[in-house]
Amino acid sequence: MKSSNSRFNKCLYFSANALARKVEKLAAESWKKIGMAPSHAYLLMMVLDEPGAQPGTIANEMQLTPSTITRLIEKLEEKKMVVRASEGKITNVYPTSKAKELYPKMKACLDDFYKKYVEILGTDESIRMVQNMNKLTDKLPV
Amino acid sequence: MKSSNSRFNKCLYFSANALARKVEKLAAESWKKIGMAPSHAYLLMMVLDEPGAQPGTIANEMQLTPSTITRLIEKLEEKKMVVRASEGKITNVYPTSKAKELYPKMKACLDDFYKKYVEILGTDESIRMVQNMNKLTDKLPV
DNA sequence: AACTATTAATTGTATATACAAATATTAAAA
DNA sequence: TTTTAATATTTGTATATACAATTAATAGTT
């Protein structure tokens, strides 16, 4: 069923969700090569770029709730990809060497994902679409 | 954090998800008046419009998997909003009278949601955005 | 008619995510 | 300095969703 043929095709709720699910799937395919879910991968990349990042900061950047970030970090800890160092109420998250070693492969997965959707949408439309979605997201209430 | 300031702001995965989460929240607010989650409400509206609809058809239109539809129907059954009638391998889903009575209020919730986002985005941008998202969704592989 | 393949729906299980409450910890105010 | 308020994180719990396996029924094929 094409979404443009659905009875729901005029509804932002429906369209935004359907799109997100499909994009998630496409991304999951790219990240599968290193056996990681996209959300884990994005969090890990952020920690690799910014070692010691705090859960609250990560939550802000990823626009996810702190509790979700805690749960994602737990998973990454189980995989020995990050460690937490708590001091007082502050927690810092650091990448392990295992994660650092994985970095090039992660880059490759990300590139693969970009390539995949640019191939489908074209460079211009991809960029425009992402920009529009961000603009829309920013306009919606927190 | 504005998504346009995030390190992830160029990534379709991130943008699509962040948008969907915010839209979900906005919709949930509208549907809260009748104590229903948006996904339940949309499924129920489809069944009200098309009594006897089959789970497979619903899955297609809503672009969700059959198993998810089964789970949603179970919830709606618990709430006495729908009943299932199975004959052979076919299942038909019918709205209860309770659901039919609720219909006007559901319409109102939907209108409220539309109004809410049109107010934020403007009519034209809303329509254009939804169309673009549908187009994009249709282009991505199933 | 008997076997095989396809189809529709469901169930078992796992993941992502959120909200609300709880737990510390630090900062501010009295 | 004691009390109060604010902040950062985690936990308990609930929901939505998916995938893979299962069940049941129908359709096709020989």
Side-chain angles (χ1 to χ4, degrees):
Chain A
M1 165 86 51
K2 289 176 78 171
S3 63
S4 43
N5 293 330
S6 160
R7 84 185 56 227
F8 301 121
N9 70 352
K10 283 182 201 67
C11 183
L12 181 64
Y13 167 80
F14 174 76
S15 301
N17 274 298
L19 177 57
R21 283 192 297 271
K22 270 203 173 177
V23 169
E24 172 83 40
K25 221 170 168 181
L26 197 72
E29 217 177 272
S30 294
W31 290 104
K32 217 175 146 189
K33 272 164 227 155
I34 57 165
M36 222 181 257
S39 53
H40 293 173
Y42 281 85
L43 199 165
L44 183 51
M45 283 197 299
M46 175 165 173
V47 171
L48 280 162
D49 280 355
E50 208 174 298
Q54 295 172 21
T57 311
I58 299 173
N60 261 310
E61 278 224 35
M62 295 185 71
Q63 290 186 245
L64 292 169
T65 61
S67 71
T68 298
I69 298 301
T70 298
R71 296 284 147 76
L72 293 176
I73 292 173
E74 282 168 3
K75 288 282 168 68
L76 285 170
E77 257 182 348
E78 280 170 30
K79 290 189 168 187
K80 310 288 180 204
M81 290 298 179
V82 302
V83 289
R84 268 181 287 196
S86 289
E87 213 178 322
K89 70 178 173 185
I90 300 296
T91 294
N92 295 100
V93 185
Y94 296 95
T96 62
S97 50
K98 187 180 172 191
K100 285 177 200 160
E101 281 162 27
L102 199 60
Y103 192 74
K105 282 195 181 173
M106 297 186 72
K107 265 279 180 211
C109 290
L110 192 61
D111 282 351
D112 182 71
F113 173 60
Y114 286 161
K115 218 168 71 185
K116 225 183 299 184
Y117 75 74
V118 165
E119 217 164 79
I120 296 168
L121 306 175
T123 312
D124 294 347
E125 189 174 349
S126 297
I127 293 172
R128 189 158 31 81
M129 201 60 208
V130 170
Q131 281 173 348
N132 283 336
M133 286 195 287
N134 289 342
K135 222 170 61 180
L136 181 39
T137 299
D138 289 338
K139 280 188 185 175
L140 292 177
V142 181
Chain B
M1 166 87 53
K2 289 176 78 170
S3 63
S4 44
N5 293 331
S6 160
R7 83 185 56 226
F8 301 122
N9 71 353
K10 281 183 202 65
C11 183
L12 181 62
Y13 167 78
F14 174 76
S15 300
N17 274 297
L19 177 57
R21 283 192 299 270
K22 269 204 175 177
V23 169
E24 173 83 39
K25 222 170 170 180
L26 196 71
E29 218 177 90
S30 294
W31 289 103
K32 218 175 147 191
K33 272 163 226 157
I34 58 165
M36 222 182 256
S39 54
H40 293 175
Y42 280 85
L43 199 166
L44 184 51
M45 284 198 296
M46 174 165 175
V47 171
L48 281 162
D49 280 354
E50 208 174 299
Q54 294 173 22
T57 311
I58 299 172
N60 261 308
E61 278 223 36
M62 295 185 71
Q63 292 185 243
L64 292 170
T65 63
S67 70
T68 299
I69 298 300
T70 297
R71 298 285 148 75
L72 293 176
I73 291 173
E74 283 168 3
K75 289 281 167 68
L76 285 171
E77 258 183 347
E78 280 169 29
K79 290 190 169 187
K80 309 291 179 200
M81 290 298 179
V82 301
V83 289
R84 268 182 287 196
S86 290
E87 212 178 324
K89 70 179 173 185
I90 301 296
T91 294
N92 294 101
V93 186
Y94 297 96
T96 61
S97 50
K98 187 179 173 191
K100 286 176 200 161
E101 280 162 28
L102 200 59
Y103 192 73
K105 281 195 182 173
M106 297 186 73
K107 265 280 181 210
C109 290
L110 193 61
D111 282 351
D112 181 71
F113 173 59
Y114 286 160
K115 218 168 72 185
K116 224 181 301 185
Y117 75 73
V118 164
E119 215 163 81
I120 296 167
L121 306 174
T123 312
D124 295 347
E125 189 174 350
S126 298
I127 293 173
R128 190 158 33 79
M129 202 57 209
V130 170
Q131 279 174 349
N132 283 337
M133 285 196 286
N134 289 342
K135 223 169 62 180
L136 181 39
T137 300
D138 290 337
K139 281 188 185 175
L140 292 178
V142 181

